[in-house]
Amino acid sequence: MIQDYLHKSAWFVGLLLLQVLILNNVHIAGYATPFLYIYMIIKMDSETPRNGLMLWAFFLGLGVDLFSDTPGMNAASVVLLAFLRPLLLRLFAPRDLTGNFAPSPRTMGTAAFLKYATACVLLHHAVLLSLDYFSAAHFGLLALRILASTVLTLACTLAVEGIRNKGL
């Protein structure tokens, strides 16, 4: 149990530092920014209590907000993701999966995991970037940013997942 918390804490610190020191400064063509810090919430065990998941999400989002000068936007969007994650997991996980499992292509199947991860990332980015713009005046630009950032974050998520599966 303590080892599990240490493992989660290491991922928390690592993803937080990666996001605020490197990824917040990556802007592909001015539209796409990877938000890899949500990987921790996406990958939590399936039977993680919703309250615990939301606490991890809140502190992760708050940490990103503190270093990124975004007043609560990351915290709000990642807490909403944590709140809806059990529903998304039930929606996309194969019916024959029972018990506690960590969402991954290996446990869920590649297609199911990709659908699940896409839904999670799209939900997070839609909320985060809508709060950032806080205007419907340039809806096309907002939709382009959401789509581009979703694709980039999914690519980074799948890259991390591939590296973890290879045991590197």
Side-chain angles (χ1 to χ4, degrees):
M1 180 138 171
I2 291 175
Q3 185 179 6
D4 185 45
Y5 283 114
L6 290 174
H7 186 256
K8 286 179 183 175
S9 297
W11 272 100
F12 179 93
V13 170
L15 287 172
L16 179 65
L17 290 174
L18 178 67
Q19 185 66 46
V20 299
L21 295 176
I22 298 171
L23 297 178
N24 279 353
N25 299 313
V26 174
H27 305 288
I28 308 289
Y31 297 109
T33 302
F35 296 101
L36 191 60
Y37 72 96
I38 64 172
Y39 179 77
M40 181 178 175
I41 303 305
I42 291 171
K43 289 291 291 179
M44 288 263 197
D45 293 338
S46 63
E47 292 185 358
T48 302
R50 184 176 276 173
N51 292 340
L53 191 64
M54 290 173 65
L55 272 173
W56 279 105
F58 174 73
F59 287 115
L60 186 60
L62 184 64
V64 173
D65 283 331
L66 287 174
F67 290 108
S68 303
D69 197 28
T70 53
M73 293 187 303
N74 288 289
S77 58
V78 78
V79 166
L80 179 66
L81 171 62
F83 180 76
L84 294 176
R85 191 194 90 119
L87 173 73
L88 293 170
L89 200 53
R90 278 195 309 272
L91 187 65
F92 293 111
R95 301 289 179 231
D96 59 344
L97 268 178
T98 58
N100 192 18
F101 66 94
S104 71
R106 187 176 292 170
T107 58
M108 296 175 66
T110 304
F113 178 76
L114 193 56
K115 290 176 194 174
Y116 161 73
T118 302
C120 288
V121 172
L122 190 60
L123 171 72
H124 173 266
H125 288 22
V127 172
L128 177 65
L129 295 174
S130 295
L131 287 173
D132 187 26
Y133 267 64
F134 206 66
S135 170
H138 302 286
F139 182 74
L141 184 61
L142 174 62
L144 178 62
R145 284 197 66 202
I146 290 170
L147 185 63
S149 293
T150 297
V151 169
L152 186 57
T153 302
L154 272 174
C156 291
T157 300
L158 293 175
V160 170
E161 194 63 29
I163 290 169
R164 287 186 72 190
N165 284 339
K166 298 292 184 206
L168 297 176

